[in-house]
Amino acid sequence: LDSQDATIPVVTKEPEEEAEKTPIVMAYYAELGMNPFLCTDYTNRAFMSLIYQGLFTVDRDYNVEPMLCQQYAMAEDMRSYTFYVDPAATFSDGSRVTIDDVLASIEAARNSDYYKGRFHYYVNRYEIQNGAIVFYLNAPMENLPILLDIPIVKAEDVDATHPRGTGPYEFAEGLSGAYLRKVLSWWGQREVAAFDESIDLVECTDEAMVRDEFEFGDVGVVCTNPLSDNYAQYRCDYELWDVDSGMFLYIGCNVLYSDYFDDGVLRQVLTYAIDRDTIIDTYYHGHAQKATLAAPPSSPHYSQSLAEKYDYDSMKFIDEISGWTIPKDKDNPDRKLRLLVNCDDSARLRTARYIADALTEFGIPCGTLEYGATTKPTYETVLRANTFDIYLGQTRLSPNNDLSEFFRLWGNLSWGGIPNDNILKLCKESLENSGNYYNLLELIAEDSRIIPILFGTYAVYAQRGLLPDL
């Protein structure tokens, strides 16, 4: 100021009223219930983590943190683990979590469609000893806790439609319908992003109704599966998160029974013929992660520099097969490479047809064998009979990225005679020491008994500004 007589006007502001927080409302399929061992639908599972907790929790970077587990011990040979329950942990009704509840929940998970894959081979048995649950393994495993984010429910509730859990919310029903109610005496101290007093649930009957309730109704958060035939695209204003689903789409080769793979040349170059970007954008709405290695790209085991070596390269594919001779069949001169696909899944069917057309354009005539659960023969019958050359498969991998079921004899995914002792040995070594994953993924890519295409993601939509993070 130039003048000593100048005065500075004082401007007063009325205090702004705090904006009223928009309540969170979610969609819900009432007929499917909320039992984590019986309900496999992602719409209901999207908010199960608010109701249930496991011995451990796994974050978006695959880091493991104790939840209901107070402490645990691993044997020196990594073939047994002992877990103790936090004595402060309680269910929503205030009762303590016991080791019997843990045992009953683990047993229910082992017999469920959703979790049973985690127990196929490496978990030999588990039992209660001195107030703890002890797991005995068939082979060393450095990180069993990553598999134990399985929800723990009250032992008497394992078959209930709405089991009691230990999370910050519980399922409730009122005059206006179902809702999640905050557990006032919740034992946990962790922050919860959606910590409203209650979360209303809007009962829906199908994916289209969920979409309509989000676009035109009160629903503010929805989880969708772009790999599902029921996926409905959204056309309103929203925020979007892609969340790993573990669903793995790949090509499997019939190395034992198809003369196309007698010399191994074709299968080792097939990866260069698959335009994964086009497949994801065209058939999966852009909601998937391109993969040339048999691990999720978001996984700490995935090497981008290694993955680039096996990406789509049409010129390299043409060059590599230039001297290769297509097998001849005197009884069937018009025979084509047979690509088996489950026709019950329309996106997978369209993907298979796209790959077949691409291989045909590259000079390898290819046709699809399209069978489903009710066709004659069925998809599974053809798979078991090995009357195919390649197949388009989809499976959900466990959180520790265990690939043993592909490569062990009589494994649940070892179609087409792909078991291999060398790869299985590296599978075991990788579970014992994750530093071996690079060598495992490189060997699988070079050997090409399976050719990765993509890993699926869930698409989570939220009204803009409703959730600060997910």
Side-chain angles (χ1 to χ4, degrees):
L1 295 175
D2 294 331
S3 169
Q4 300 255 345
D5 297 328
T7 58
I8 301 175
V10 177
V11 179
T12 60
K13 284 185 69 177
E14 293 293 331
E16 293 183 5
E17 291 186 12
E18 187 175 339
E20 185 176 345
K21 189 176 184 299
T22 303
I24 295 175
V25 180
M26 300 187 73
Y28 164 61
Y29 292 145
E31 73 278 6
L32 299 181
M34 219 83 82
N35 188 311
F37 311 122
L38 302 177
C39 176
T40 60
D41 186 86
Y42 42 87
T43 300
N44 287 12
R45 295 194 71 89
F47 48 83
M48 283 187 184
S49 62
L50 296 174
I51 304 174
Y52 309 110
Q53 298 171 304
L55 290 174
F56 296 87
T57 184
V58 182
D59 70 14
R60 71 184 75 185
D61 298 316
Y62 293 82
N63 297 314
V64 181
E65 296 180 9
M67 185 66 77
L68 296 176
C69 178
Q70 183 190 45
Q71 59 179 338
Y72 71 98
M74 177 183 69
E76 279 190 33
D77 62 1
M78 291 187 283
R79 294 175 70 103
S80 69
Y81 281 76
T82 303
F83 300 98
Y84 295 88
V85 176
D86 192 327
T90 59
F91 290 105
S92 57
D93 63 359
S95 59
R96 297 286 181 185
V97 179
T98 70
I99 203 66
D100 291 316
D101 297 317
V102 174
L103 180 64
S105 298
I106 295 296
E107 186 65 22
R110 186 171 193 168
N111 293 314
S112 72
D113 289 338
Y114 196 86
Y115 293 107
K116 66 182 179 184
R118 304 185 182 194
F119 300 91
H120 271 150
Y121 179 67
Y122 285 96
V123 176
N124 183 315
R125 72 184 196 279
Y126 40 81
E127 60 187 36
I128 294 176
Q129 293 182 12
N130 301 319
I133 185 168
V134 182
F135 284 76
Y136 295 95
L137 310 178
N138 291 315
M141 187 184 298
E142 72 168 354
N143 192 9
L144 178 61
I146 200 172
L147 300 181
L148 298 180
D149 60 346
I150 293 167
I152 303 301
V153 307
K154 211 167 179 61
E156 62 198 64
D157 289 351
V158 292
D159 296 319
T161 304
H162 300 285
R164 284 163 288 186
T166 62
Y169 287 86
E170 61 181 338
F171 178 82
E173 291 182 291
L175 294 176
S176 58
Y179 64 103
L180 302 183
R181 177 173 57 203
K182 185 168 72 170
V183 177
L184 297 178
S185 57
W186 182 47
W187 74 279
Q189 300 299 319
R190 297 171 176 84
E191 291 185 8
V192 180
F195 217 66
D196 293 345
E197 288 296 322
S198 65
I199 297 174
D200 287 339
L201 302 177
V202 174
E203 186 173 336
C204 295
T205 55
D206 55 41
E207 194 90 23
M209 185 175 177
V210 172
R211 180 197 58 199
D212 291 344
E213 288 290 345
F214 181 80
E215 292 185 341
F216 309 111
D218 296 326
V219 171
V221 183
V222 294
C223 179
T224 65
N225 183 7
L227 268 65
S228 166
D229 270 350
N230 297 323
Y231 174 71
Q233 288 185 282
Y234 289 68
R235 295 178 175 83
C236 58
D237 187 35
Y238 53 75
E239 291 183 275
L240 174 65
W241 290 266
D242 283 328
V243 182
D244 287 1
S245 69
M247 295 302 293
F248 178 37
L249 187 73
Y250 63 96
I251 283 178
C253 296
N254 193 344
V255 300
L256 195 58
Y257 303 102
S258 170
D259 52 1
Y260 276 81
F261 303 114
D262 286 347
D263 56 9
V265 172
L266 179 60
R267 78 168 194 261
Q268 289 178 333
V269 299
L270 270 177
T271 184
Y272 305 121
I274 302 172
D275 188 347
R276 297 165 176 85
D277 289 318
T278 295
I279 290 171
I280 291 171
D281 290 340
T282 306
Y283 307 115
Y284 295 102
H285 317 284
H287 296 295
Q289 296 176 305
K290 177 177 71 174
T292 62
L293 305 179
S298 55
S299 160
H301 310 312
Y302 198 89
S303 167
Q304 289 293 344
S305 58
L306 178 62
E308 289 172 2
K309 291 176 55 179
Y310 307 101
D311 206 352
Y312 174 65
D313 189 333
S314 58
M315 296 307 297
K316 186 171 185 177
F317 178 77
I318 293 171
D319 183 60
E320 292 286 346
I321 64 167
S322 59
W324 181 73
T325 303
I326 297 175
K328 301 297 182 182
D329 186 343
K330 63 180 182 180
D331 296 325
N332 183 13
D334 297 324
R335 181 192 162 187
K336 299 179 179 180
L337 181 75
R338 299 163 298 178
L339 170 51
L340 174 64
V341 59
N342 188 337
C343 65
D344 294 336
D345 183 328
S346 62
R348 217 183 313 173
L349 177 60
R350 292 193 298 270
T351 298
R353 290 173 177 173
Y354 172 80
I355 292 172
D357 289 344
L359 289 173
T360 301
E361 288 184 15
F362 285 137
I364 301 177
C366 180
T368 56
L369 303 176
E370 301 172 2
Y371 297 103
T374 59
T375 60
K376 299 294 183 182
T378 66
Y379 172 82
E380 187 173 347
T381 300
V382 177
L383 201 58
R384 291 183 182 279
N386 286 297
T387 52
F388 64 91
D389 298 304
I390 57 178
Y391 74 95
L392 186 61
Q394 183 173 298
T395 189
R396 184 191 303 277
L397 293 184
S398 56
N400 63 348
N401 206 61
D402 178 19
L403 300 165
S404 304
E405 293 301 313
F406 284 105
F407 304 110
R408 72 177 181 88
L409 193 62
W410 309 117
N412 290 294
L413 298 169
S414 60
W415 309 109
I418 67 171
N420 180 273
D421 288 341
N422 290 332
I423 302 178
L424 181 61
K425 181 174 180 288
L426 263 182
C427 287
K428 294 179 178 179
E429 290 178 1
S430 299
L431 293 176
E432 182 178 356
N433 182 343
S434 59
N436 291 310
Y437 266 105
Y438 183 95
N439 294 333
L440 170 64
L441 298 177
E442 183 178 40
L443 178 58
I444 291 173
E446 287 291 328
D447 182 86
S448 301
R449 291 165 190 261
I450 59 173
I451 297 104
I453 298 177
L454 59 84
F455 277 83
T457 59
Y458 293 129
V460 180
Y461 296 84
Q463 293 176 3
R464 193 166 296 280
L466 185 63
L467 295 178
D469 192 16
L470 187 70

